[in-house]
Amino acid sequence: MDKIVIEGGVPLRGGATVSGAKNAALPVVASALLAEGEHVVRNVPELADVRTMDRLLSAMGCEVARGSGADRHVLSIRVPRSVKPEAPYEMVKTMRASVVVLGPLVARWGRARVSLPGGCAIGARPIDQHLKGLSALGADLSLEHGYVEARALRGRLRGATFVFDGVTVTGTENVMMAAVLAEGTTVLGNCAREPEVVDLAEALVAMGARIRGAGTQEITIEGVERLRPLSHAVIADRIEAGTLLVAGAFPGNDVAVQGCVPAHLEALVEKLRLVGARVEPIPGGLRVVGDGRPRPVDVRTAPFPGFATDMQAQMMALLTLADGSSVLTETVFENRYMHVLELKRLGADITVDGRAAVVKGVPALSGAPVMASDLRASAALVLAGLAASGTTEVHRVYHLDRGYERLEEKLAPLGARLRRTRA
Ligand code: EPU
């Protein structure tokens, strides 16, 4: 198991380029199942989670190949006429997002068998809304031996009106993918408005799907009989970009983030400005300059366009050094404060009360060994370690590798002193 060893306290200065978005790539790759033939997806980050999705499609009978050298972000997927429409427990347990194959499978082959994801470090994360949406489209669902068995009555789903009880990103994606091949029109209400949903809709439209309203609360889909293969470039990763922007906001830092989409980062940029950082547009991205000690700021996570839950841990790392107290409120996941105890090991002063965390700023952090508990928590620990004096060792970096493409190689050119070693 790898760890990252950080010599902190060195100012970060320079530029970094953002990779493709994990959370857009996963559903886009799964959407290839909707059409037979040769698909090409570009700007696909090289990440453990994407490899899990590749393996899942391969296990079903698809051929998935990643290019090499300059083409290493290009994924070619050959989807045969028929596949084994199943997502086994071994894969779903390593990546919950595997569940996004459910919609495409039942839409195209009229049946699917997908393992029910179990618990998760950041919250219960049920998939009841995915299932309710598919059921509204006419899927007959049953739970057998830990698997969701889905069948489309008469082999094809049919359009329907469905309103999600709560906003769900992969739930919206799953049901939208199911509806594109359904008979008739589907209207989905209370949809997630995340840029990843919009990216998936654009990929589907390029395949011949008829979708309106992605990016708003109501998405209308007119089902078609068949789609053509996918050719799509995935959007830039707004969470990786956001993580680098927060890195720039630490005192003494100056980071230019290239290749990001500022419109996807507005809620974060607003908070970084309130913290006192200078954020300015540059060609192809944003630059952040950390002007002295951060000012405290309250942050409440919410679905897009609100402040992303996936940025909560990194923002908390920054606020540990603020000149006063901040209150962070996590409204999306019920247990997303696993990083708090680890940040405290670095000298942070944080108290959690239910969904709220009070972060009392301290003048400095001091390096220590810490343990990553989930993907974004590990990024927060890296940021805090870079700002802390002395040595920080971040253990269990496999969490980081699930969603950041060699983060240490993006930070090192900024002057960060960090290296990956075997723990
Ligand atoms: N929820 C339900 N029922 C459902 C679905 C969701 O109650 O059927 C609840 C969840 O338990 C949670 C809330 O709704 O409390 C929102 O969950 P959502 O379904 O939106 O999350 P997700 O689709 O499972 C995606 C990202 C997450 C990101 C969340 C929120 C992917 C592959 N994952 O998860 O990304 O945190 O949306 O924005 O898109 C990460 O990248 O580190 C990550 C965890």
Side-chain angles (χ1 to χ4, degrees):
M1 233 187 282
D2 288 355
K3 65 179 177 186
I4 289 183
V5 182
I6 304 167
E7 299 299 332
V10 184
L12 304 185
R13 282 158 195 275
T17 303
V18 178
S19 297
K22 167 185 80 93
N23 290 347
L26 294 173
V28 166
V29 169
S31 76
L33 290 167
L34 289 162
E36 185 184 344
E38 310 279 342
H39 304 256
V40 180
V41 190
R42 294 176 297 279
N43 204 27
V44 181
E46 274 187 298
L47 297 171
D49 275 9
V50 176
R51 280 192 291 277
T52 303
M53 185 58 80
D54 297 355
R55 277 194 291 123
L56 181 54
L57 264 60
S58 304
M60 289 179 197
C62 304
E63 282 168 35
V64 186
R66 187 179 275 275
S68 55
D71 285 339
R72 70 183 195 285
H73 293 122
V74 181
L75 216 59
S76 308
I77 308 161
R78 200 182 72 77
V79 179
R81 175 150 302 173
S82 64
V83 300
K84 184 178 178 198
E86 180 173 317
Y89 176 63
E90 292 65 46
M91 293 188 192
V92 179
K93 79 167 190 240
T94 58
M95 186 181 73
R96 308 178 56 80
S98 309
V99 79
V100 293
V101 299
L102 180 58
L105 288 177
V106 70
R108 172 110 186 274
W109 287 282
R111 66 197 173 91
R113 190 167 177 268
V114 173
S115 172
L116 199 63
C120 173
I122 62 176
R125 304 184 76 179
I127 58 160
D128 58 302
Q129 295 303 308
H130 302 229
L131 302 182
K132 258 177 114 171
L134 293 174
S135 161
L137 295 180
D140 181 37
L141 301 166
S142 60
L143 183 66
E144 310 242 352
H145 308 297
Y147 280 75
V148 177
E149 309 251 1
R151 255 172 209 285
L153 302 171
R154 293 188 311 278
R156 190 175 176 197
L157 298 172
R158 48 180 159 64
T161 295
F162 175 72
V163 180
F164 291 95
D165 292 336
V167 176
T168 158
V169 178
T170 48
T172 302
E173 293 165 348
N174 227 344
V175 183
M176 179 168 77
M177 285 191 279
V180 293
L181 288 181
E183 189 180 344
T185 303
T186 298
V187 181
L188 300 177
N190 199 20
C191 293
R193 290 180 280 164
E194 268 65 4
E196 294 76 17
V197 173
V198 178
D199 195 42
L200 173 63
E202 283 174 6
L204 293 168
V205 166
M207 292 170 88
R210 299 210 188 122
I211 303 174
R212 275 181 288 120
T216 73
Q217 277 166 345
E218 188 172 286
I219 302 181
T220 305
I221 303 135
E222 277 170 56
V224 295
E225 293 219 358
R226 69 179 53 80
L227 296 173
R228 50 184 173 268
L230 178 65
S231 171
H232 183 73
V234 168
I235 51 167
D237 196 314
R238 65 193 167 100
I239 307 300
E240 187 203 20
T243 303
L244 293 164
L245 292 175
V246 171
F250 279 79
N253 291 357
D254 180 349
V255 175
V257 182
Q258 306 282 352
C260 62
V261 182
H264 296 171
L265 291 156
E266 281 173 2
L268 173 67
V269 165
E270 188 189 317
K271 292 296 176 189
L272 292 179
R273 289 199 168 119
L274 288 172
V275 156
R278 225 171 67 222
V279 187
E280 59 195 40
I282 53 168
L286 291 168
R287 174 181 173 208
V288 182
V289 183
D291 251 355
R293 200 168 164 192
R295 287 197 290 266
V297 62
D298 293 344
V299 177
R300 196 181 174 83
T301 66
F304 191 84
F307 190 95
T309 171
D310 289 345
M311 287 305 305
Q312 177 256 108
Q314 302 89 315
M315 193 69 188
M316 183 185 280
L318 174 65
L319 293 173
T320 61
L321 290 171
D323 190 10
S325 292
S326 312
V327 181
L328 276 78
T329 310
E330 174 57 65
T331 75
V332 179
F333 291 112
E334 63 273 23
N335 189 28
R336 212 173 194 182
Y337 284 134
M338 304 276 278
H339 42 284
V340 166
L341 286 173
E342 303 302 310
L343 289 171
K344 283 172 105 161
R345 290 182 49 72
L346 300 175
D349 183 347
I350 307 166
T351 320
V352 175
D353 183 8
R355 291 192 168 231
V358 179
V359 185
K360 237 178 174 176
V362 293
L365 298 174
S366 71
V370 286
M371 193 90 86
S373 55
D374 75 70
L375 166 54
R376 308 304 169 188
S378 37
L381 296 175
V382 170
L383 295 184
L386 289 168
S389 61
T391 309
T392 295
E393 288 185 356
V394 181
H395 293 260
R396 298 198 181 162
V397 285
Y398 59 86
H399 287 296
L400 190 74
D401 297 336
R402 291 186 56 177
Y404 290 89
E405 198 175 42
R406 290 184 284 273
L407 186 62
E408 72 276 16
E409 287 179 20
K410 299 209 175 173
L411 292 168
L414 305 175
R417 282 201 243 143
L418 78 179
R419 62 179 198 282
R420 181 184 286 259
T421 61
R422 292 238 154 242

